[in-house]
Every structure is written in C-alpha cells, then in structure tokens.
Amino acid sequence: MSQPALKPQTHSAEVRPFLRGQPKSVADVHVVTTNAPKKSALESIAAAKSLFSHEHKRNKLKLVYCSLAEEQRRMLCFCAGLKQQHVSMSFDDFTQEEAAQIATGLKMMAGVVTRFENMAGPVSHLKPASFYR
C-alpha cells in the first residue's frame, strides 16, 4: 500500500475574535493590549475623572430607577413622600426637591433593611413563615 504524500503545513498567526468577558490566558491579554488604541495620558486622566462626575452618578441612578418594576417605584415613591403621579414619571422629570426626596426614601428603606439584617440575618433568606405566630 502506498501512503499519500504529506503536504507541508504552513503555520499562520492565529487571529482571535474580540474577547468577551475575562481573558483565559496571557496570550488573550496580549492580543487585547496590542490591538487596543493608545490614549494620551491627558485623555486617560479625563476619562478617569469623568467616572467621578455628578453626571455619571446621576446616569447610573437613572438607569437603576428606570429598571425598577412599577411596584418597586411605588414603594420608593411612598417612602420618599411623593404622590401616585410620581410613580409613572420619567426620572428626568423630577425636580431637584423630588430627587432629594427619593434619596431620603432610599436611605429610609436601607435603614429598615439594615435593622432586620442586624437582628435576623440577610433579608433574602427570610421566609414568610418566620413572621407567623
């Protein structure tokens, strides 16, 4: 029997797709850092400072508020002392006073949760039967 002639294999550089999630190896990190656009020091500093700006924090709060279910918004607005009409309002439509009331309501809710957790453990582990007589 004759064997087929072996063809020499050519090796080419592996091109990896854009990484998602955490890198799996040092080679993955190298691919990302080599292909990453380079920024000047001033651009990097400006980008870092923007993460601590008032507007950045407000946008994060807006994202959370907008993602709340109606029942959660209602509960928050109640704790904040706002009216029923505020439940359906857009975050951008709140006045500064109403936004301050929401912050106060969140602190009040956090205080209640903290008291329960200090005495009974994480509220996520509480069962309705724990409240029965």
Side-chain angles (χ1 to χ4, degrees):
M1 284 195 240
S2 67
Q3 293 183 347
L6 295 174
K7 294 182 182 178
Q9 294 181 353
T10 57
H11 296 282
S12 62
E14 179 182 350
V15 179
R16 296 177 186 211
F18 181 78
L19 297 175
R20 289 180 177 80
Q22 295 295 321
K24 306 273 188 274
S25 67
V26 174
D28 288 344
V29 172
H30 181 67
V31 167
V32 171
T33 55
T34 316
N35 297 332
K38 306 293 186 248
K39 289 185 179 181
S40 72
L42 291 176
E43 289 173 323
S44 296
I45 291 169
K49 283 183 177 180
S50 74
L51 296 176
F52 297 97
S53 72
H54 169 76
E55 193 61 31
H56 180 74
K57 176 71 101 179
R58 187 178 189 291
N59 286 336
K60 288 170 70 174
L61 292 170
K62 177 181 175 180
L63 280 173
V64 174
Y65 184 81
C66 292
S67 70
L68 294 176
E70 183 179 346
E71 182 180 64
Q72 294 169 321
R73 282 186 185 197
R74 185 175 292 112
M75 181 175 52
L76 178 56
C77 287
F78 178 81
C79 288
L82 298 174
K83 299 188 180 340
Q84 176 66 30
Q85 68 192 28
H86 292 94
V87 174
S88 59
M89 284 176 60
S90 167
F91 189 82
D92 291 327
D93 293 336
F94 289 128
T95 64
Q96 283 186 332
E97 293 80 19
E98 292 165 341
Q101 285 179 263
I102 289 177
T104 302
L106 281 170
K107 290 175 187 174
M108 182 187 304
M109 291 169 62
V112 170
V113 170
T114 300
R115 287 187 67 184
F116 274 98
E117 288 185 335
N118 287 343
M119 295 301 291
V123 294
S124 60
H125 296 157
L126 290 176
K127 308 233 180 322
S130 301
F131 292 88
Y132 301 159
R133 286 187 191 223

